[in-house]
Amino acid sequence: MRIEYLEREKLFRLTAKDTEYVIGIADERYIGHVHFGKKMGENRCGCLLRTEEAPFVPSKNLRDKCSFADAFPAEYSTWGVGDYRDSCLNVRSSDGFRGCELHYENYRTVDGKPGLPGMPATFCREGEDGAGMTLELECRDKVLELKVILRYSVFADSEAVIRSAELVNEGKGPLYLERVLTACMDMDMEGGDLLTLGGSWARERHMARRPLAFGKQMVSSFRGESGHQDHPFLAVMGQDAGQDRGEIWAMHFVYSGNFMAEAEVNQFGMVRLLMGINPEGFEWVLKPGEAFATPEVVCVYSDEGLGKMSRIFHDLYRGHLIRSPYLHRKRPILINNWEATYFDFDTEKLLEIAREAGKRGIEMLVMDDGWFGDRNKDEGYLGDWEVNEKKLSGGLPYLVEQVKALGMEFGIWFEPEMVSPDSKLYRMHPDWAIRIPGREPVQSRAQYVLDLTRPEVVDYVYESVAGILRSAPISYVKWDMNRQMTDVGSAYLGREHQGELFHRYVLGVYELQERLVREFPELLLENCASGGARFDPGMLYYSPQIWCSDDTDAIERLAIQEGTALLYPLSAIGAHVSACPNHLVGRVTPFGTRGHVAMAGTFGYELDVTKLPEEEKRLIEEQVKLYHRFQPLVREGDYYRIASWNENHKYDCWQIVSKDKREALLTYVQVLAEPNGHSRKIRLKGLDLEAEYRLEGDQLAKEGQIFKGAFLMYGGLLIPRMQGDFTSVMIYLKQV
Ligand code: GLA
């Protein structure tokens, strides 16, 4: 890891582990993108900015400044001064004029990695001096009296480059920020594909690859959350890039609200990648002397396809983003009562579940929605966080005590950011809901969103959650958020500041979670948003795990978890074994397969264990044993995708290898059985070529056999033909 300034060449070179990111200053003022990729070892690479071609020197040839601006590979493009591609920044002056041009002025390098006030950010862990470095490029728009600092950080153990920008109003009047993205990256690329993640509720983060084409291709959210539908990620891939080969450039946004991620192919075939807060519905008033910081974008380059890209993201998030003390700790196996009982439960029912679960080795009971107010259906009482003692006779402390007496931990569900129209809170404070005066706000799941731009609302919400947590020894919170925003208006923010609501709301969420993890440092926090609508790196900063999807069907989960694991370590992916027929799709899958799929995540159960046949209860005991045995490997290991059901429509297969390559775990799911099928040869990945591995697998004929790593990787392992749809095997390999 290094950051250098080459004075003569006017180049900044950031060297991550094996990649370099090179920035050049053209014509003494324009900050250009030279390279992000393999190390070039060449100091004269600034010629790639093309500033030496005659018409492209704007200070000497003003006539052609526009052709310069519209083709220049910018690091932080601005609006309205000759670059007609989409830009990062557009500012309106207090006189009402739009347009912005930034000129480079100076730079600074800083040891370590500065945080972002009030926002999630990657960091160097305490005691890790020298683990990170940051470059700050200072530039200015003299007309607007606006200073912009572009920040780039690298870590000693990562290939990622982290970017953010800070704007400071140095003038005397307000500036109106209409568009402030975090990063832009311009590349020359012939052909190539765009990869994004998207879907819907219960179908989150499916991978979508399509050819890059002329024009703009964008994924975005202006739902107030990152969303089920789109994910704040994009990658461009060389045409030949696949799982293990080819070049990939990716961006991922460390933010939990509205975003945009765009790839624009222009008239010269150049590709511009852009990422940041969605300008739709956004306007920020920057008063004199004030600063505005953008959330971070993680930029990753991989020269070995998606597999290496995933591992770079996983290591970065485990090493430099997740703060929870549970990061490297075994998570308790939980049982959640949502799919078991929905709203229909009481103390006795919960204890019945806990007793049976505890007997089988499950370690924590999580009480989901329906324990407060008079909430027996999804209408009403959100905001009234008072325990319903009609259901929980003896109160919450009694229930927690009883669960603890069984040797189990207790967890609880909240949806703190919401208010039901039918609630004491709403009747008392209708102006605490986000709404536009005079307009009947849209209800979604019969609820409104609380206006977290109001400090008194943030305090109320915090005390509601913290008060309950202070009342009993609760180990875990599932923090839910079940609707998207509409009618975006705040009775608190003035006329000029309505465009700040979306972002200020997200800052409110961050403040709440920051307070929570500070007051309850040992709390295991799991974020959730109608399943996975706020599964993003921003939330990972507060919670080490996020509920992945409300779809708990093992087969549906294959694509969802594949897309999620493209970016997130398996230790962050909330996954449970649920009852069959599955409540969402009606599919019946073997109990074993449900366990194998959930084990590629945090693992737990979401069913009425008291109603299971004895055989399935026994299978729980076996799965619990497997979990204890393999959890450290799953949590800490390197993830390899071997085959994707999404692509081959037959089977799914992934593998986890410990960092020291001494052990590995392979999971294979046969989705549909084939008539006249035969055994399938699977080539393993990531093993030590020279080492010998002993095989262990419940359904494997080869049990106990020993093979060389090179054989397993270049030759392969035969998975015997299996009878039946949705069957699976898990094979453990250990070096002898
Ligand atoms: C959301 C969550 C579910 C469950 C329900 C409760 O949909 O994703 O897991 O907690 O809310 O209302």
Side-chain angles (χ1 to χ4, degrees), residues 131-287:
M133 274 188 97
T134 300
L135 170 69
E136 297 187 345
L137 299 180
E138 193 175 300
C139 36
R140 204 166 252 99
D141 182 314
K142 289 207 170 104
V143 178
L144 292 171
E145 297 182 279
L146 172 71
K147 176 167 87 176
V148 177
I149 302 164
L150 304 179
R151 292 203 172 88
Y152 301 79
S153 302
V154 283
F155 296 105
D157 58 358
S158 177
E159 301 294 353
V161 175
I162 318 295
R163 293 188 54 180
S164 65
E166 185 182 334
L167 282 71
V168 183
N169 182 352
E170 297 184 326
K172 295 206 169 44
L175 291 173
Y176 300 87
L177 312 181
E178 295 190 344
R179 181 183 180 95
V180 194
L181 304 190
T182 297
C184 154
M185 194 153 58
D186 284 335
M187 301 184 294
D188 278 316
M189 191 164 173
E190 299 283 327
D193 289 335
L194 176 67
L195 178 71
T196 56
L197 296 174
S200 176
W201 171 70
R203 266 191 284 118
E204 297 93 337
R205 292 175 298 285
H206 281 228
M207 289 166 66
R209 181 174 179 170
R210 54 192 174 281
L212 272 173
F214 179 80
K216 299 170 193 174
Q217 299 177 61
M218 179 165 99
V219 288
S220 67
S221 161
F222 79 111
R223 298 165 184 272
E225 59 184 13
S226 41
H228 300 102
Q229 290 75 7
D230 287 320
H231 192 74
F233 160 80
L234 61 67
V236 290
M237 311 175 59
Q239 253 162 350
D240 63 339
Q243 197 50 235
D244 302 302
R245 69 193 161 92
E247 293 190 282
I248 298 182
W249 291 264
M251 282 182 168
H252 202 194
F253 200 25
V254 187
Y255 189 60
S256 312
N258 292 356
F259 72 90
M260 66 164 274
E262 184 180 281
E264 178 178 1
V265 180
N266 77 349
Q267 55 184 327
F268 308 114
M270 294 166 76
V271 186
R272 165 167 290 180
L273 303 186
L274 286 167
M275 184 170 274
I277 292 178
N278 196 341
E280 181 114 14
F282 172 87
E283 182 172 278
W284 193 273
V285 187
L286 196 65
K287 295 197 195 108

Side-chain angles (χ1 to χ4, degrees), residues 338 368-369 375 413 445 478 480 482 528 530-531 547 550 606:
W338 179 241
D368 212 281
D369 193 357
R375 188 161 161 99
W413 176 97
R445 212 186 186 219
K478 176 175 170 187
D480 208 343
N482 279 326
C528 171
S530 296
W547 183 229
D550 277 346
E606 182 139 350

Side-chain angles (χ1 to χ4, degrees), residues 371 385 387 396-397 400 410-414 416 461-479 512-513 515-525:
W371 55 266
W385 298 102
V387 175
L396 184 64
V400 179
F410 184 85
I412 194 167
W413 176 97
F414 283 98
V461 168
Y462 183 71
E463 282 308 315
S464 308
V465 177
I468 294 283
L469 297 186
R470 289 180 205 125
S471 74
I474 295 171
S475 311
Y476 160 107
V477 163
K478 176 175 170 187
W479 179 300
L512 281 167
Q513 299 215 346
R515 281 164 74 171
L516 196 71
V517 298
R518 276 177 194 270
E519 181 175 345
F520 304 96
E522 283 300 311
L523 183 76
L524 174 55
L525 182 61

